Amino acid sequence: SGEGSCVVATPDGIAVGSMTQEGGAVSFFGISDIVRSAVPAAVIEVESEVLALATDGPELLVGTLGSGLIVLSLQRPHVRLRHLDMPGGVSTIAVKSGWAACGSLDAWVRVANGHEVGAIVGVGDAVGAVALVAGMLVVGTWEGIVEVFHWQGSLVVGPRRGVHVINSAVSSLIAVQRGDVIVGT
């Protein structure tokens, strides 16, 4: 139903975010849909292009270019649970223990929990990836900078812990043991 931009595994298969002529959509595919027909079990239209997807228990977090963060039910995809306004769009999402770090093309990261949007952290360039790891919020930017901030289980994001120059756009951050992070460029 459009040009696919992101994908995430769900308990029953996958969800694919896309850009359409009218805005955006999330297509849900069950395992049998993928193998047999490639026809989605459900397609949910949203107001803006879908840039990022993440799951948090029974919820699907949908990051959009112009409509902030939309939260859908995985059990009943047509049910929109919440909408959190985040000007500038949400280009990447990381989830840990009910908290979501949302990065933007407008060079900021916000941490949200449940129904509220918390602290905002400004960074130097468009955000390519975020990770929440053992008390740290790790942010990778398109200009190749990885910044590390203190993060606690609240809406407080503390001062920088470190800045690392990668010299290539950061597209993914994979958390590993003891707070280390693998950077994909």
Side-chain angles (χ1 to χ4, degrees):
S1 66
E3 181 180 331
S5 59
C6 52
V7 64
V8 67
T10 66
D12 300 324
I14 61 170
V16 178
S18 62
M19 303 175 198
T20 65
Q21 290 181 345
E22 297 80 29
V26 180
S27 301
F28 291 85
F29 295 86
I31 298 299
S32 62
D33 302 322
I34 298 167
V35 174
R36 292 192 184 111
S37 66
V39 176
V43 177
I44 310 304
E45 294 185 5
V46 295
E47 301 83 2
S48 183
E49 295 91 341
V50 177
L51 300 178
L53 296 171
T55 58
D56 185 13
E59 299 178 343
L60 178 69
L61 309 181
V62 181
T64 67
L65 181 61
S67 298
L69 185 69
I70 297 168
V71 183
L72 302 175
S73 168
L74 282 172
Q75 284 89 19
R76 297 183 318 269
H78 289 87
V79 176
R80 185 179 291 205
L81 301 174
R82 291 183 294 289
H83 175 232
L84 300 175
D85 186 34
M86 294 188 184
V90 176
S91 59
T92 183
I93 306 168
V95 176
K96 183 172 179 69
S97 304
W99 294 89
C102 302
S104 172
L105 298 175
D106 285 354
W108 55 256
V109 176
R110 284 194 168 174
V111 178
N113 181 4
H115 300 276
E116 56 185 322
V117 177
I120 187 168
V121 176
V123 293
D125 195 18
V127 177
V130 290
L132 293 171
V133 188
M136 299 182 297
L137 167 64
V138 185
V139 181
T141 69
W142 284 10
E143 68 179 5
I145 304 295
V146 175
E147 297 188 55
V148 183
F149 300 87
H150 288 289
W151 173 73
Q152 298 172 352
S154 69
L155 298 178
V156 176
V157 178
R160 279 188 180 92
R161 290 179 59 177
V163 175
H164 309 279
V165 179
I166 305 299
N167 291 323
S168 183
V170 176
S171 61
S172 62
L173 296 167
I174 303 168
V176 295
Q177 293 181 349
R178 295 182 297 282
D180 294 331
V181 176
I182 298 171
V183 178
T185 61

